[in-house]
Amino acid sequence: MLARNVFDAKAAAAAQTFDLLICDLVLPDGDGCDLCRELRQPCGMDAIALTACGYPADFAKTKAAGFRSHLLKPVSLDVLIEAIEGVLRDPSRQPNARPAIDA
């Protein structure tokens, strides 16, 4: 599923469950870190940041928001697949429950 903004991502998360959020930090209608926090709290959804924001403060911000990985654009498909597999195969990963999110 592709959501082009925070509003669409929240609506999608309210309607169905997802294994993983891959999200930019700079979105047209909000902040990717805020979206990650909001989606992780009710359902524990895992997330990967895929962004051009690469300053040390950006890495600290994504870690604090709960992103499991921070990838810099442009990213090779191999690196992206490796990050996704790393998150989904993590034995400490908790299965998602349907979130209670107001869209």
Side-chain angles (χ1 to χ4, degrees), residues 23-62:
C23 184
D24 201 338
L25 301 186
V26 181
L27 300 170
D29 61 345
D31 179 85
C33 286
D34 292 338
L35 176 63
C36 179
R37 278 188 209 94
E38 188 169 343
L39 296 181
R40 283 187 55 76
Q41 288 177 355
C43 66
M45 184 186 301
D46 286 311
I48 294 173
L50 178 58
T51 183
C53 302
Y55 290 107
D58 298 319
F59 283 87
K61 186 177 173 185
T62 56

Side-chain angles (χ1 to χ4, degrees), residues 3-98:
R4 298 186 184 278
N5 54 49
V6 171
F7 180 82
D8 290 347
K10 288 170 57 176
Q16 58 191 16
T17 59
F18 294 92
D19 292 319
L20 183 65
L21 169 70
I22 300 175
C23 184
D24 201 338
L25 301 186
V26 181
L27 300 170
D29 61 345
D31 179 85
C33 286
D34 292 338
L35 176 63
C36 179
R37 278 188 209 94
E38 188 169 343
L39 296 181
R40 283 187 55 76
Q41 288 177 355
C43 66
M45 184 186 301
D46 286 311
I48 294 173
L50 178 58
T51 183
C53 302
Y55 290 107
D58 298 319
F59 283 87
K61 186 177 173 185
T62 56
K63 183 176 181 179
F67 282 97
R68 301 279 305 267
S69 185
H70 183 129
L71 304 177
L72 291 177
K73 294 177 186 177
V75 65
S76 73
L77 185 57
D78 290 339
V79 170
L80 179 58
I81 290 170
E82 183 179 317
I84 292 168
E85 288 177 344
V87 169
L88 296 180
R89 291 184 180 162
D90 184 346
S92 67
R93 188 169 179 270
Q94 299 294 319
N96 293 336
R98 186 158 185 189

